[in-house]
Amino acid sequence: GRSGAEAGKPSPSWVSLLGPTLLTARGEQRVEDVLKDKQRVALFFAGQDCEFCRALQRWMNETMCELQASDPNDTEVVYVASDVYSDSFAGVSHSQPFPAVPYYRAQGVGSLARG
């Protein structure tokens, strides 16, 4: 089994963790649609004010392009911004091959406290 998730559908916990939508090259899309049929999901926490993050992101972009070319359903990386300024996030979210949690949600704006 797929540990609580039906084949082809993401676990409901992805929606509760990431929110209802992700930013993609095609605009804002429902989490269920973006993660449908993905075997694995990786969360990539990074910010443009972090030199290490920028270097890692270049490698992640190349690696994910290669991986998705060989098997589009293998893994999806979801970018979660730790950027201080929304302008930094806007530039990076359009130049990467994977979806991103919208900036305001990645910063916790409008989210409920967990715990």
Side-chain angles (χ1 to χ4, degrees):
R2 289 193 61 166
S3 59
E6 293 178 37
K9 292 185 180 179
S11 167
S13 62
W14 287 122
V15 173
S16 66
L17 179 66
L18 302 173
T21 59
L22 295 171
L23 298 176
T24 71
R26 297 180 317 274
E28 204 159 339
Q29 304 286 318
R30 292 172 13 136
V31 168
E32 294 94 343
D33 296 336
V34 174
L35 301 181
K36 182 181 178 187
D37 297 328
K38 299 299 179 182
Q39 296 172 29
R40 292 177 251 333
V41 175
L43 302 180
F44 178 37
F45 294 85
Q48 293 306 295
D49 56 342
C50 166
E51 185 176 332
F52 173 76
C53 297
R54 289 192 311 270
L56 180 60
Q57 185 163 355
R58 285 189 294 274
W59 178 83
M60 288 284 291
N61 289 1
E62 293 169 12
T63 302
M64 286 309 299
C65 284
E66 291 173 16
L67 180 62
Q68 289 178 345
S70 67
D71 183 357
N73 290 325
D74 183 274
T75 301
E76 186 63 81
V77 171
V78 176
Y79 181 78
V80 183
S82 64
D83 294 297
V84 175
Y85 301 106
S86 61
D87 293 348
S88 298
F89 172 75
V92 71
S93 64
H94 293 292
S95 65
Q96 62 192 8
F98 34 85
V101 173
Y103 180 78
Y104 68 91
R105 204 174 318 128
Q107 301 305 306
V109 176
S111 63
L112 299 174
R114 300 192 196 283

